[in-house]
Amino acid sequence: MDIRRFDVGEVLGSGNFGTVYKGEAKGLFYPDSVTKVAMKTIHDSRNQNDVDAFLAEIKILSNLDLHCNLVNMIGSHTSNIKETGEIWLFLEYCEAGDLKGFVYKNREIFRKSFENPSSDNNLESRLLVIWAYHIAKGMEYLASKRIMHGDLAARNILIDRGHIGLRTGAYYTKLIAKVADFGLSKEIGNKNYYRKMERNYVPWKWMAFEFLEDNVFRMKSDVWSYGVVIWEIFSLGKQPYGSQGCFREVFEKLENGYRLECPDAVSYTHLTLP
């Protein structure tokens, strides 16, 4: 896509390999239209490993259909990377931010909704269940395409505000959870597993036990990560395993049957289902 149609704005987030900016796209859907987008790029385009990984992410996204529970790709700019070093991935912009930050920021509101499920507040315990369902639907679609996400975590789920029309002609806002960040994703295809040779920067607290044990990902490895995400949601944004920061300590406990305990904030007798 023509980079001249995009204006780069403020930084939305930054990681080990790249940065995501808020941006605007001009004339994306019709002449003179202005659309908010997220613009992702890498820190060092001279690092061929980073470039290859970024291009692999673009390829995976370009082969996916639009899905309401994924952060969909709008386009990319890679044609001038050798001349200018510019490489961009353009994505849907989700104004409510990431799920982990959202539930943590609003944790007192959600906590009160556990105690009083009849509250009129839009942020209620039922919404947490709905988000869990949204994430499952997004992951179900990826599995149907034989794509392993590899980095499923609450920080990589974005919340978008969808406007739903009513018969009266009015509108209400629906908060939708969307799976994002495909930097570690792999297309498994007809293979049974994928073996990762390096562990650098791997978010091990979310990784399936089989990966922690022998570096192997399988198609169902994301299910373990999904379980950790559910724990994050209902703990209202807490860190998995708390202060247990040592990989070896946690791994040995998991090996002996330890699992994350039910979050203190949750009481199944008070949780309102959709």
Side-chain angles (χ1 to χ4, degrees), residues 95 159-165 171-176 178:
E95 60 179 286
I159 303 298
D160 196 17
R161 300 184 190 275
H163 300 287
I164 311 299
Y171 289 85
Y172 74 96
T173 298
K174 179 181 180 182
L175 296 173
I176 303 169
K178 292 173 170 276

Side-chain angles (χ1 to χ4, degrees), residues 78-150:
T78 61
S79 56
N80 296 330
I81 185 171
K82 292 183 179 180
E83 293 79 10
T84 65
E86 281 192 313
I87 181 170
W88 292 94
L89 171 60
F90 309 118
L91 300 158
E92 290 178 316
Y93 173 66
C94 299
E95 60 179 286
D98 70 275
L99 175 58
K100 182 180 179 66
F102 190 93
V103 295
Y104 187 80
K105 181 176 66 175
N106 296 288
R107 62 192 181 281
E108 291 305 320
I109 298 174
F110 283 117
R111 187 173 287 118
K112 289 178 181 178
S113 78
F114 285 126
E115 301 167 0
N116 180 21
S118 61
S119 170
D120 292 332
N121 197 301
N122 289 330
L123 300 182
E124 57 175 345
S125 58
R126 180 173 61 176
L127 188 56
L128 303 179
V129 180
I130 292 172
W131 285 339
Y133 175 72
H134 289 170
I135 299 166
K137 293 301 290 182
M139 295 303 297
E140 179 184 48
Y141 173 72
L142 290 181
S144 74
K145 296 293 186 180
R146 300 289 296 171
I147 291 173
M148 182 206 68
H149 187 278

Side-chain angles (χ1 to χ4, degrees), residues 24 57 70 130 155 160 165 181 185 253 273:
E24 290 185 338
E57 179 179 1
L70 300 180
I130 292 172
R155 66 181 178 277
D160 196 17
D181 202 333
S185 298
K253 292 182 71 172
L273 298 176

Side-chain angles (χ1 to χ4, degrees), residues 55-66 72-76 89 91 141 147 182:
L55 291 174
E57 179 179 1
I58 291 173
K59 181 180 179 181
I60 284 177
L61 286 169
S62 66
N63 288 329
L64 297 176
D65 298 323
L66 296 179
N72 295 291
M73 174 179 168
I74 294 173
S76 63
L89 171 60
L91 300 158
Y141 173 72
I147 291 173
F182 294 81

Side-chain angles (χ1 to χ4, degrees), residues 254-269:
L254 291 173
E255 199 172 27
N256 292 323
Y258 170 78
R259 297 296 183 264
L260 287 166
E261 298 176 357
C262 182
D264 295 335
V266 177
S267 171
Y268 69 89
T269 58

